[in-house]
Amino acid sequence: MALLSFAEIPQLQAFTMSVQRLLKAQPVLAVVSDQHLVVCWQRRQTWFWRLGHWAPDSCRDGVPLLREAMGELLADLLFESDVLGAEILLVLPEASCDWRVLEGASLSRLEQAEDRSQLLSELTWSIDPDATVLALSPCADAVLALGAARPTVQAWIEVVEMADLPLRRMDWCLSAGLRALNRFCPDWTGDLAWLLHSCRGLRLVLIRAGVPELDRCVSLDVDDPLAAWEQLVQVVDAWQQINPAAPLGWWLSLPAKERDGWAGRCVQARGDTRLDHEIPGAPVAWDPLDSSELDPVVELLLSALPGERA
């Protein structure tokens, strides 16, 4: 029987990895969706990103189904990229959470409440109040309530556990993106329209004074994208009729062709303002031959976690 070298002893390998994680803790942003996984990490002051695709039927409506295989993909991407000591900052997909704005509420009082079941029962969302993970965060003069089904959250935790990686924290793509937008547009005094791709087409979030007031999805017909734009304009016009009119600025988290194509032209035709711009310090592809484009939402999310990037 062949003898194992020290490097091949499983216990020694596990010990070595533990030491590396302790000495070289490396925050890794992992943004997940139903189709793929994007990981971002820093090396020599530069952020890199890499894309991995789940196997078919691995994830549905934001719920991971093939957890072991998904964990293996996460671990393999980081191992192949020579990322040591990874600590995962997991950003949950759009369909996994819901949010509501609580006006006139005190964050400290809500956090100190022993029983939040009444608050959950009063929120009009589809998540079962008895099986909901609730997170509260400040949002200008209001409180933002984020809810996710407990089994879904636990399933994503297990995906990271299957990768044998520590989970530093979890976030949600829309709430993290909202924080980034408020950081990038501090001098904009008007309303803000955030447009991004959704699992149901296009998603429009209308924001006033840092608070999301309206969240609407419209279907996208690839043969007639202007039809979707007309629906979006109707939503904006109705919202601005109810609320006092204010200048409207757009942040388009869309692929470059769409951002500079029909959407950009339509924004200008309305006389609105384009606020989206190139994000400084945006990550570059790990593989220089990779011609794919990084999801602009991921760029936004990375900038929303400055305290985690050091």
Side-chain angles (χ1 to χ4, degrees):
M1 182 177 65
L3 296 177
L4 291 175
S5 68
F6 285 112
E8 293 173 322
I9 298 176
Q11 293 84 351
L12 185 57
Q13 288 179 332
F15 175 75
T16 302
M17 290 299 295
S18 298
V19 172
Q20 288 175 339
R21 287 173 181 169
L22 181 62
L23 297 178
K24 294 185 176 182
Q26 168 69 22
V28 173
L29 181 71
V31 184
V32 293
S33 70
D34 282 2
Q35 294 79 31
H36 55 252
L37 158 72
V38 178
V39 290
C40 301
W41 69 94
Q42 190 177 34
R43 182 173 296 160
R44 297 194 183 102
Q45 306 303 315
T46 299
W47 280 85
F48 294 89
W49 66 274
R50 192 174 180 186
L51 174 68
H53 295 277
W54 305 127
D57 300 321
S58 291
C59 187
R60 185 178 305 122
D61 297 329
V63 180
L65 303 177
L66 304 180
R67 300 168 201 174
E68 184 174 359
M70 296 171 76
E72 289 177 356
L73 176 62
L74 172 59
D76 289 345
L77 281 180
L78 296 178
F79 178 77
E80 294 170 2
S81 306
D82 196 25
V83 180
L84 301 178
E87 294 184 349
I88 303 301
L89 315 174
L90 184 66
V91 180
L92 298 178
E94 172 197 7
S96 64
C97 299
D98 201 354
W99 57 351
R100 292 293 184 272
V101 174
L102 308 178
E103 296 181 341
S106 168
L107 177 61
S108 59
R109 184 173 299 177
L110 291 174
E111 289 179 332
Q112 295 172 4
E114 296 181 0
D115 184 9
R116 297 180 181 178
S117 57
Q118 182 177 357
L119 172 61
L120 288 171
S121 62
E122 293 173 353
L123 295 175
T124 55
W125 54 26
S126 59
I127 306 173
D128 181 4
D130 296 327
T132 299
V133 176
L134 179 67
L136 302 171
S137 62
C139 184
D141 295 330
V143 175
L144 195 63
L146 303 178
R150 186 172 290 109
T152 299
V153 174
Q154 182 58 42
W156 282 112
I157 292 175
E158 292 176 3
V159 169
V160 179
E161 289 177 346
M162 293 291 183
D164 193 26
L165 295 168
L167 177 61
R168 177 184 287 193
R169 61 170 290 184
M170 301 178 74
D171 213 320
W172 183 45
C173 58
L174 292 191
S175 57
L178 176 66
R179 296 198 307 272
L181 288 175
N182 288 334
R183 183 175 296 113
F184 278 128
C185 307
D187 299 326
W188 178 250
T189 58
D191 296 332
L192 175 60
W194 182 26
L195 186 63
L196 64 155
H197 273 294
S198 163
C199 56
R200 290 174 286 176
L202 289 173
R203 189 160 187 164
L204 174 67
V205 181
L206 295 174
I207 305 164
R208 172 162 292 174
V211 179
E213 291 196 353
L214 187 66
D215 180 9
R216 185 67 56 85
C217 292
V218 301
S219 58
L220 177 61
D221 185 350
V222 294
D223 296 325
D224 188 12
L226 287 179
W229 178 256
E230 291 173 357
Q231 295 181 54
L232 294 172
V233 169
Q234 292 176 3
V235 172
V236 172
D237 289 344
W239 179 67
Q240 290 191 317
Q241 287 177 3
I242 296 175
N243 297 277
L248 184 64
W250 290 78
W251 189 287
L252 307 177
S253 292
L254 302 173
K257 291 182 179 179
E258 297 178 42
R259 190 168 60 244
D260 299 328
W262 61 268
R265 289 194 297 270
C266 291
V267 170
Q268 295 168 2
R270 280 178 48 87
D272 298 330
T273 302
R274 285 277 301 277
L275 298 176
D276 52 281
H277 55 76
E278 184 176 348
I279 297 177
V284 297
W286 174 80
D287 182 356
L289 299 180
D290 188 351
S291 60
S292 57
E293 179 182 356
L294 178 64
D295 185 344
V297 174
V298 176
E299 293 187 25
L300 202 60
L301 297 180
L302 188 63
S303 65
L305 302 169
E308 302 288 354
R309 296 174 56 172

